[in-house]
Amino acid sequence: MLDPVTRPQATLAVRCSRALMSPWSRLSLLLVMLASAASAVLLYEPQRLLSAGWPPQIGGGGAVVLFALAYGLCTAAFVPRPILNLAAGALFGSQAGLAAAVAGTVLGAGIAFTLGRLLGQDALRPLLRGRWLTAADGQLSRHGFRSMLAVRLFPGVPFAAANYCAAVSRMGYAPFLLATGIGSVPNTAAYVIAGSEAASPTSPAFLLATGFIVLTGLGAAVVAWCKRHRLRGATGR
């Protein structure tokens, strides 16, 4: 009789690589990266470099492109977008500032979406078992563009949270980035115009932009308050 063939045991390097590439290891790496980015923002405040510390020798279209790249990296590191939008308007005016801010918004969203998709999706998708989580995942997965467009138009949804929630779903890159670019324009434009007209706080453009920001913020607060009481009523039954 032939002796049974014994399979060679996996080497230590193979076992270590499997452990490092496991879903929970990748999720841990994502959490470490996000915590490091948030700590760096608190320590170094890069948003100040984009406004007060902008290099004077850099100008023209190159400055707009460089600002958009820095904007995207900063939003991926949790720098608040309103600050960056105001800086874009103050540095480049309403038109070029809006182009830089929207491009940076799409870039930052794409970075966060890629990190969440590669490092967090496999570990988090099995946890989507609750009714609300399942419904949200199904909405994002089946109606990605429409759902993300509504999220971007609604100013009360945190930018980073929307990025990572979309990454955990089965939404594709194209609808996510397209909806982000289109849906971010109104609110971004209001902040950029306010930043460009900050030197003239009584100008009609500044007053209209500020009024739009205040009204959308109040509307978001009212909608969030109503939804909170609906959830309380549903869970209390």
Side-chain angles (χ1 to χ4, degrees), residues 1 3 11 22-24 29 33 113 159 177 179 184 210 227 232:
M1 295 180 61
D3 294 332
T11 63
S22 66
W24 287 103
L29 175 60
M33 292 174 60
F113 188 87
F159 182 72
L177 295 177
S184 299
T210 305
K227 286 186 174 294
R232 282 186 175 181

Side-chain angles (χ1 to χ4, degrees), residues 27-180:
L27 179 61
S28 301
L29 175 60
L30 176 62
L31 296 177
V32 170
M33 292 174 60
L34 297 181
S36 301
S39 301
V41 168
L42 294 176
L43 289 175
Y44 299 106
E45 297 183 345
Q47 65 271 21
R48 292 188 178 183
L49 298 177
L50 295 183
S51 54
W54 190 255
Q57 64 271 21
I58 302 177
V64 176
V65 173
L66 183 59
F67 182 90
L69 294 175
Y71 185 116
L73 294 175
C74 286
T75 54
F78 304 108
V79 174
R81 286 182 60 249
I83 297 176
L84 301 176
N85 293 332
L86 292 172
L91 289 171
F92 305 110
S94 58
Q95 295 183 358
L98 178 60
V102 172
T105 297
V106 175
L107 176 62
I111 293 173
F113 188 87
T114 301
L115 291 175
R117 179 61 55 89
L118 295 178
L119 300 178
Q121 187 187 50
D122 291 340
L124 294 177
R125 279 203 65 81
L127 303 180
L128 301 177
R129 298 176 181 175
R131 184 178 63 177
W132 297 106
L133 292 176
T134 304
D137 174 65
Q139 185 70 20
L140 289 173
S141 299
R142 291 191 299 270
H143 310 288
F145 176 81
R146 183 176 66 188
S147 301
M148 187 51 55
L149 182 64
V151 168
R152 297 307 189 193
L153 290 173
F154 186 71
V157 179
F159 182 72
N163 295 334
Y164 289 107
C165 288
V168 175
S169 72
R170 300 191 185 279
M171 181 188 303
Y173 272 89
F176 172 77
L177 295 177
L178 185 60
T180 296

